[in-house]
Amino acid sequence: MENSITHTEHRDDTASKMGMWLFIFTELLLFGGLFIVYSVYRSKYTADFHVAANQLNTFIGTVNTVILLVSSMTVAMSVTALRTGNKGLTLKLLATTIFFAFLFLVNKYFEWGLKFEHHLYPGSELMLTLKRGELLFFGLYFFMTGLHALHIIVGMILLIVIYRKIQTGRITKDDNVLLENGGLYWHLVDLIWIFLFPLLYLIS
Amino acid sequence: MEQEHQHITSYRTYAIVLTALLFLTAITVFVTWFDLEALTIVVAMAIACVKVTIVISYFMHVKHDKLVFKLMVGMVFILILVIFLILFSDYLFR
């Protein structure tokens, strides 16, 4: 037809991925700053940090590490599934990832809940009677795992949005950069945990 | 519209990568059962660095990505390392 208008939408996948990476860098530097605070206080109060870390549940920490690693794989696989045109599998893998994210939060709930039951929470009377180094350890523990859990929640919402967009066909085999960026964010959450886990749970 | 070449990683590769990551996690936990004192944290951090490198290379596709992404990611980690070194050289020797 001579009157037809072909509308080509402008798209730059490299640029949008670069934007995602720049955002990830700011996140890395944010957590990097916290790791610096941790390192300095740890070198100053080594013994107190060991005593305090003894009270953390290594088992729950390990389970959550496994959960995050597996979910990282499923979200990475979902990109492969979409690129090979298997929409059904993409959705299943994404749903699995979201389920694992939820499972992580459930574990965190029980872990923190147990600490609260033992009157260990920021500002509690028990915390104020602790030695300075132990107080700093628990303060950092609640802040760092809390900030990390916040990222899990954000990642979960992001993945749910992406799930909907794949379902309704707004993310497709040929236009999948949003899924890829969502995946990158989820891997960032995993990266941070890879450092948090040994520093908080394994130093006793 | 320019069609970019997209590298597709196989499911098998991802499964192998996950196995490696789980294996390294097991080692990190296993090592803490022995009392290596100061060495514990060194081993834990070394393994964490290996794990992070694997996640970035394979899960985050940097291995098969454009050079510009490799350079960007590399520079950020060098930046973080430099910040740590400068801070600790100041903190420990003042």
Side-chain angles (χ1 to χ4, degrees):
Chain A
M1 222 194 285
E2 33 183 285
N3 291 335
S4 70
I5 300 163
T6 41
H7 174 70
T8 39
E9 207 184 333
H10 173 72
R11 219 179 90 207
D12 191 341
D13 288 353
T14 306
S16 73
K17 223 160 95 178
M18 201 174 276
M20 191 66 207
W21 270 110
L22 287 175
F23 170 66
I24 286 175
F25 293 160
T26 66
E27 294 275 40
L28 286 174
L29 290 171
L30 166 69
F31 276 94
L34 289 170
F35 283 125
I36 287 178
V37 175
Y38 172 93
S39 313
V40 168
Y41 281 131
R42 196 189 129 98
S43 69
K44 208 170 173 181
Y45 302 100
T46 314
D48 288 355
F49 266 49
H50 278 238
V51 173
N54 252 327
Q55 300 197 40
L56 295 193
N57 190 329
T58 313
F59 179 71
I60 292 189
T62 312
V63 170
N64 269 350
T65 307
V66 173
I67 287 175
L68 276 193
L69 288 176
V70 175
S71 72
S72 242
M73 183 194 68
T74 52
V75 82
M77 279 180 166
S78 77
V79 177
T80 300
L82 191 65
R83 280 184 181 173
T84 48
N86 195 339
K87 188 173 159 184
L89 186 62
T90 311
L91 290 175
K92 271 185 206 134
L93 286 165
L94 264 183
T96 316
T97 312
I98 295 162
F99 173 71
F100 277 130
F102 180 70
L103 218 58
F104 182 97
L105 289 174
V106 170
N107 273 342
K108 192 102 279 174
Y109 168 79
F110 283 115
E111 190 192 341
W112 275 31
L114 216 64
K115 291 274 164 301
F116 287 7
E117 261 177 44
H118 292 132
H119 304 288
L120 267 175
Y121 51 87
S124 74
E125 281 171 29
L126 179 73
M127 281 271 272
L128 296 175
T129 62
L130 293 176
K131 280 196 206 144
R132 200 175 171 78
E134 290 174 41
L135 180 68
L136 281 166
F137 178 86
F138 281 117
L140 281 167
Y141 161 75
F142 280 115
F143 188 71
M144 287 167 101
T145 57
L147 192 62
H148 180 263
L150 197 66
H151 281 77
I152 298 264
I153 295 170
V154 172
M156 235 174 112
I157 295 169
L158 190 64
L159 290 177
I160 290 169
V161 170
I162 290 170
Y163 185 94
R164 285 292 301 158
K165 287 198 171 194
I166 293 174
Q167 236 180 2
T168 53
R170 276 173 293 166
I171 298 176
T172 57
K173 180 175 184 274
D174 301 309
D175 185 2
N176 55 35
V177 74
L178 201 60
L179 172 64
E180 217 182 317
N181 284 347
L184 283 178
Y185 185 83
W186 193 252
H187 296 310
L188 162 79
V189 172
D190 190 22
L191 284 187
I192 294 162
W193 187 259
I194 286 176
F195 280 111
L196 276 183
F197 171 60
L199 287 177
L200 294 175
Y201 295 82
L202 295 178
I203 60 163
S204 46
Chain B
M1 203 176 3
E2 149 197 33
Q3 267 301 321
E4 284 171 21
H5 164 76
Q6 286 187 323
H7 179 271
I8 299 177
T9 315
S10 68
Y11 298 119
R12 197 168 163 266
T13 310
Y14 284 138
I16 293 169
V17 168
L18 177 69
T19 315
L21 288 170
L22 291 176
F23 179 68
L24 288 169
T25 307
I27 294 179
T28 327
V29 177
F30 183 66
V31 163
T32 55
W33 294 350
F34 306 98
D35 195 14
L36 300 171
E37 297 189 358
L39 215 68
T40 314
I41 191 74
V42 178
V43 173
M45 282 302 99
I47 294 177
C49 287
V50 174
K51 282 168 77 179
V52 161
T53 313
I54 294 175
V55 170
I56 291 175
S57 311
Y58 291 94
F59 283 169
M60 296 172 105
H61 301 125
V62 171
K63 188 166 184 269
H64 299 286
D65 228 324
K66 290 193 177 120
L67 181 67
V68 63
F69 289 111
K70 291 179 190 170
L71 290 174
M72 280 168 72
V73 175
M75 281 195 291
V76 163
F77 277 94
I78 291 172
L79 174 67
I80 293 174
L81 190 72
V82 168
I83 292 172
F84 260 84
L85 287 177
I86 292 177
L87 185 117
F88 269 91
S89 62
D90 177 43
Y91 180 74
L92 293 174
F93 300 109
R94 64 165 61 206

